[in-house]
Amino acid sequence: MLMVNKMEYNAKQLQIIQVAERLFAGKGFSGTSIRDIAHEADINVSMISYYFGSKEKLIEALFEVRSVESVTRLETIIANADLTPLQKIFILIDGAIDRLMGNQCFHNIMLREQLSGEDRTQVISDLIFELKFKNWEGLETIIKEGQKKGDFREDVNVSLLSATLYGTVNQIITTQSFFKKINNLEHLTQEEFEKDLKLKLSKHLKSIFKATVAYETIE
Amino acid sequence: MLMVNKMEYNAKQLQIIQVAERLFAGKGFSGTSIRDIAHEADINVSMISYYFGSKEKLIEALFEVRSVESVTRLETIIANADLTPLQKIFILIDGAIDRLMGNQCFHNIMLREQLSGEDRTQVISDLIFELKFKNWEGLETIIKEGQKKGDFREDVNVSLLSATLYGTVNQIITTQSFFKKINNLEHLTQEEFEKDLKLKLSKHLKSIFKATVAYETIE
DNA sequence: TACTAAATCAAACGTTTGTTTGATTTTTCT
DNA sequence: AGAAAAATCAAACAAACGTTTGATTTAGTA
């Protein structure tokens, strides 16, 4: 049996991970059988055990690949010098929207895992913790900088603000079709709709953040 | 086989629903077997088919019971006369926090269902739609009233504001333990923690809403 | 070209799944 | 008390599950 210890997945494995990601997002981990995955990926059922060891190890591999990607993307965003704290916050907001909307399947799976009472594996809960912490830390750093410069209020609760950012984006993503229906946007294509949604969401969150962290005088 | 058409569940059925609710919330619908439920509820496995017809019908019954409760609670909150629009919004916020925090299991299950690509049954997606619509409608009504009175801005996006309210609360609930750890609140009991959390969350959301919908002059 | 390792396959493995059966106990009602 | 209905049970059911096996094909190497 072939076994990979860390972060070296060949094209076939990545293809399996991609299919599994889509199915896990749609039907959940327990709701997806390895025969579903094998059928959709057009491979033999035994290939999953062969390549990953087990179904559990497959979802662990999925988390390893995708959370590394997500952390990388976040860190590129954070590393923006020569900007005011408020500008940095705005970039963080747009980055969050892009990351969450651009990887809906993975974030759907991650939301499911967070809803689970008992952790599936330590590996996964560690990766989720790391992601959440990096997100929180990114906001915390910028806010402290803004406070030191005198731009931001002193009584800002970073955890709650972080919850508002990621919670609002998640809520919008999971209730997209409701949003579409209620706002009479059903004539738009999915692409147009997403573009429109991103724009509105961005403006909405930026306005909330500005009103919450900055003194009124700031322009 | 006994079969109930609508909304008449005896004590035993409600007990089964309660156990199923806790297990579905913890492990998901597919991740929970009827033997799990039967064991925890201390009944024979066949009683679930006997009382509800099937596992699917059981979760439908769960949704029927709980969403009626939730809608009822919401409607009692909305029916508040002799209050300013802003006061009504504040009551709506506290009501949402209480409802979501007080029924974490059911709302956990509902979140899972919303994450599912294909609906499990039409019954469930209809009930979820009704709940979402009532929530949205409640906010919409108050905001329009505030606009007519001249208290509120004209450019308020109700859908996004609604997403911020329910999204923030959901996010805080699903990441409670992270919130506890990051804010060094691990010495508190669960009861103390929840009380503290509700208070902070309430203040946070009220401040966001006030800044978003009301003109600066409002006090 | 011949040998070796990797990849792929159909089939079977033992469990667990949701559901049904048929007998038995408990409750309800006259 | 006695008949009828409802509730409960252990057992069995077929289907689906994740995983393993052992044979076969493909790819890489010398």
Side-chain angles (χ1 to χ4, degrees):
Chain A
M1 183 209 295
L2 183 148
M3 188 57 52
V4 184
N5 52 347
K6 212 122 205 180
M7 297 184 199
E8 283 182 23
Y9 301 105
N10 61 39
K12 203 112 211 171
Q13 287 176 300
L14 290 174
Q15 178 215 344
I16 295 171
I17 287 176
Q18 198 179 338
V19 171
E21 181 178 43
R22 181 166 48 84
L23 295 182
F24 287 161
K27 320 199 283 179
F29 179 78
S30 311
T32 305
S33 72
I34 62 155
R35 283 174 178 81
D36 287 337
I37 301 169
H39 181 256
E40 293 269 320
D42 206 38
I43 53 160
N44 190 274
V45 281
S46 60
M47 297 310 290
I48 286 157
S49 298
Y50 177 72
Y51 273 129
F52 298 96
S54 69
K55 193 186 171 189
E56 296 261 337
K57 295 283 184 61
L58 168 59
I59 197 178
E60 284 185 18
L62 163 57
F63 265 88
E64 274 167 10
V65 171
R66 292 294 188 251
S67 57
V68 166
E69 287 174 7
S70 201
V71 166
T72 307
R73 244 188 304 263
L74 177 64
E75 280 168 350
T76 1
I77 289 165
I78 301 287
N80 264 301
D82 296 332
L83 292 173
T84 69
L86 193 61
Q87 285 173 321
K88 284 187 184 175
I89 288 210
F90 285 2
I91 287 179
L92 191 80
I93 290 171
D94 283 327
I97 294 174
D98 281 337
R99 245 177 316 129
L100 267 59
M101 301 255 296
N103 301 274
Q104 292 185 27
C105 283
F106 174 60
H107 284 93
N108 180 310
I109 297 171
M110 196 158 59
L111 282 176
R112 284 182 193 269
E113 288 301 314
Q114 289 182 98
L115 288 173
S116 290
E118 58 265 18
D119 298 324
R120 200 174 305 283
T121 76
Q122 194 61 42
V123 178
I124 292 179
S125 32
D126 285 352
L127 288 170
I128 292 180
F129 182 88
E130 190 195 346
L131 262 175
K132 282 197 287 198
F133 184 76
K134 289 260 161 83
N135 284 333
W136 178 88
E137 199 185 24
L139 188 58
E140 158 97 346
T141 307
I142 301 175
I143 291 203
K144 280 201 169 158
E145 189 194 334
Q147 286 171 335
K148 192 178 283 178
K149 288 186 70 176
D151 292 354
F152 291 173
R153 290 184 152 83
E154 287 297 325
D155 62 336
V156 176
N157 188 320
V158 178
S159 295
L160 288 174
L161 212 48
S162 181
T164 291
L165 171 55
Y166 296 101
T168 301
V169 182
N170 281 332
Q171 184 75 10
I172 283 291
I173 289 174
T174 55
T175 62
Q176 289 185 61
S177 64
F178 179 80
F179 187 93
K180 211 176 197 172
K181 193 174 292 179
I182 229 69
N183 291 84
N184 290 107
L185 299 172
E186 284 172 306
H187 62 281
L188 297 178
T189 66
Q190 181 62 19
E191 208 176 346
E192 291 171 330
F193 172 67
E194 278 200 15
K195 198 181 159 193
D196 179 66
L197 190 57
K198 277 189 180 185
L199 206 75
K200 285 177 180 163
L201 190 51
S202 174
K203 281 184 62 178
H204 173 72
L205 285 169
K206 284 174 185 171
S207 137
I208 285 179
F209 269 67
K210 189 178 164 188
T212 306
V213 303
Y215 290 112
E216 287 86 358
T217 52
I218 292 276
E219 184 54 38
Chain B
M1 182 209 294
L2 184 149
M3 190 56 53
V4 184
N5 53 345
K6 211 123 204 180
M7 296 185 198
E8 283 183 22
Y9 302 105
N10 61 39
K12 202 110 210 172
Q13 288 175 300
L14 290 174
Q15 178 215 343
I16 294 172
I17 288 177
Q18 197 179 337
V19 170
E21 182 177 41
R22 180 166 48 83
L23 295 182
F24 287 161
K27 319 197 286 179
F29 179 77
S30 311
T32 305
S33 72
I34 62 156
R35 283 172 178 82
D36 286 338
I37 301 169
H39 181 255
E40 293 269 321
D42 206 38
I43 53 161
N44 190 276
V45 281
S46 61
M47 297 310 291
I48 286 158
S49 297
Y50 178 72
Y51 273 129
F52 298 95
S54 69
K55 193 187 172 189
E56 295 259 339
K57 295 283 185 60
L58 168 59
I59 197 178
E60 284 185 18
L62 162 58
F63 265 89
E64 274 167 11
V65 171
R66 292 293 187 252
S67 57
V68 165
E69 286 174 8
S70 202
V71 166
T72 307
R73 244 188 304 264
L74 177 64
E75 280 168 352
T76 5
I77 290 165
I78 302 287
N80 264 301
D82 297 332
L83 292 172
T84 69
L86 192 61
Q87 285 173 321
K88 284 187 184 176
I89 288 212
F90 284 3
I91 288 179
L92 191 81
I93 290 172
D94 283 326
I97 294 174
D98 281 337
R99 245 175 317 128
L100 267 58
M101 301 256 295
N103 302 274
Q104 291 186 29
C105 283
F106 174 61
H107 284 93
N108 181 309
I109 297 170
M110 197 157 60
L111 282 177
R112 284 181 193 270
E113 288 300 315
Q114 285 177 215
L115 288 174
S116 289
E118 58 264 19
D119 298 326
R120 200 173 306 283
T121 76
Q122 194 61 42
V123 177
I124 292 179
S125 32
D126 285 351
L127 288 170
I128 291 179
F129 182 88
E130 189 195 347
L131 262 175
K132 282 197 286 196
F133 184 76
K134 289 260 162 81
N135 284 333
W136 178 87
E137 199 185 25
L139 188 58
E140 157 98 345
T141 307
I142 301 174
I143 292 206
K144 281 199 169 162
E145 189 194 334
Q147 287 171 333
K148 191 178 286 178
K149 288 187 68 176
D151 291 354
F152 291 172
R153 291 183 151 84
E154 287 297 325
D155 64 335
V156 177
N157 188 321
V158 178
S159 295
L160 288 174
L161 212 48
S162 180
T164 291
L165 170 55
Y166 296 101
T168 302
V169 181
N170 282 332
Q171 184 76 10
I172 283 291
I173 289 174
T174 55
T175 61
Q176 291 185 57
S177 65
F178 180 80
F179 187 93
K180 210 175 197 172
K181 192 175 290 180
I182 229 71
N183 289 84
N184 290 106
L185 299 172
E186 284 173 304
H187 61 283
L188 298 178
T189 66
Q190 181 62 20
E191 207 176 347
E192 291 171 329
F193 172 67
E194 278 200 15
K195 200 181 156 192
D196 179 68
L197 191 57
K198 278 188 180 185
L199 207 75
K200 285 177 181 163
L201 190 51
S202 174
K203 281 183 63 179
H204 174 71
L205 286 169
K206 284 174 185 171
S207 136
I208 284 179
F209 268 68
K210 191 178 161 187
T212 306
V213 303
Y215 290 113
E216 288 84 1
T217 51
I218 291 275
E219 183 53 37

